[in-house]
Amino acid sequence: CDLLNHVPALPPDRAARCVRCGHVLFRNPANCVEKTLALSFSALILWVVANVFPFLSFGMPGNLIETNLVSGVVSLFEQGQTILSVVVLMTSIVAPALQITGLIYVLAPLNRGFRLPQSKRVMRWLGHLKPWSMMEVFMLGILVSMVKLGGMADVIPGVALWAFCCLIVVLSWALSTLEPHVIWEQLDDATEVGTNA
């Protein structure tokens, strides 16, 4: 409604609403940094498992082929699907990795009351990266492929597939618990490493 509101410091688990229309301006969830940081470390572990272990095994008994996320990208590239391989690489491997490391880079020091150099820039980039993390779309493609291949060969889900499914949930949960307004306020109040303030 374009009304300018003056919002005082909020106690934990409270929300600021517009005095005219009642829209929530921002929230101050309790332990926002700690919750998001814990979920980010969980997402990091799941990301490593999803990229290291076999994703799918398919073929006939005695002749199973194991694949992982990276081998899928390489296979697309070798088949001449360069643009598709780059899109899959960026949306299912690189963007989630950057989001996770960015969250840990900003929140781990902030949890101790200080900030690392360039933390504010990293926080801005996290907002730009969010639309590029499309693991859910990739997962839907995998499920469709599994259904289509199921009639022709045995398809065995690997550990990485389950880790990837959990990663989608955990990373989405981490991003939903992140309250940017609270993080920006804490970044302003925190002492940057390497300064005398």
Side-chain angles (χ1 to χ4, degrees), residues 61-78:
N63 187 23
L64 289 175
I65 300 168
E66 287 186 344
T67 63
N68 59 28
L69 283 173
V70 177
S71 69
V73 171
V74 171
S75 177
L76 285 170
F77 183 78
E78 288 173 347

Side-chain angles (χ1 to χ4, degrees), residues 117-130:
Q118 304 299 321
S119 289
K120 291 183 177 184
R121 181 173 289 175
V122 171
M123 188 66 187
R124 277 188 213 100
W125 274 101
L126 283 171
H128 297 304
L129 273 173
K130 199 171 184 179

Side-chain angles (χ1 to χ4, degrees), residues 150-173:
M152 297 182 285
D154 291 335
V155 180
I156 304 166
V159 174
L161 178 64
W162 302 115
F164 194 77
C165 292
C166 292
L167 175 60
I168 292 170
V169 173
V170 170
L171 189 55
S172 298
W173 190 5

Side-chain angles (χ1 to χ4, degrees), residues 6-101:
H6 172 71
V7 181
L10 289 175
D13 279 336
R14 294 297 175 105
R17 295 182 177 274
C18 175
V19 293
R20 180 191 294 164
C21 68
H23 180 75
V24 174
L25 302 172
F26 68 90
R27 299 179 190 281
N28 184 15
N31 304 319
C32 168
V33 172
E34 293 85 352
K35 287 177 189 173
T36 309
L37 184 59
L39 290 166
S40 300
F41 276 116
S42 300
L44 178 62
I45 293 166
L46 290 167
W47 184 89
V48 170
V49 171
N51 284 282
V52 170
F53 289 93
F55 202 80
L56 283 175
S57 300
F58 60 92
M60 304 307 263
N63 187 23
L64 289 175
I65 300 168
E66 287 186 344
T67 63
N68 59 28
L69 283 173
V70 177
S71 69
V73 171
V74 171
S75 177
L76 285 170
F77 183 78
E78 288 173 347
Q79 293 172 16
Q81 301 286 334
T82 308
I83 295 173
L84 184 59
S85 67
V86 170
V87 169
V88 170
L89 176 70
M90 293 300 297
T91 58
S92 63
I93 299 174
V94 176
L98 291 174
Q99 280 184 310
I100 294 164
T101 53

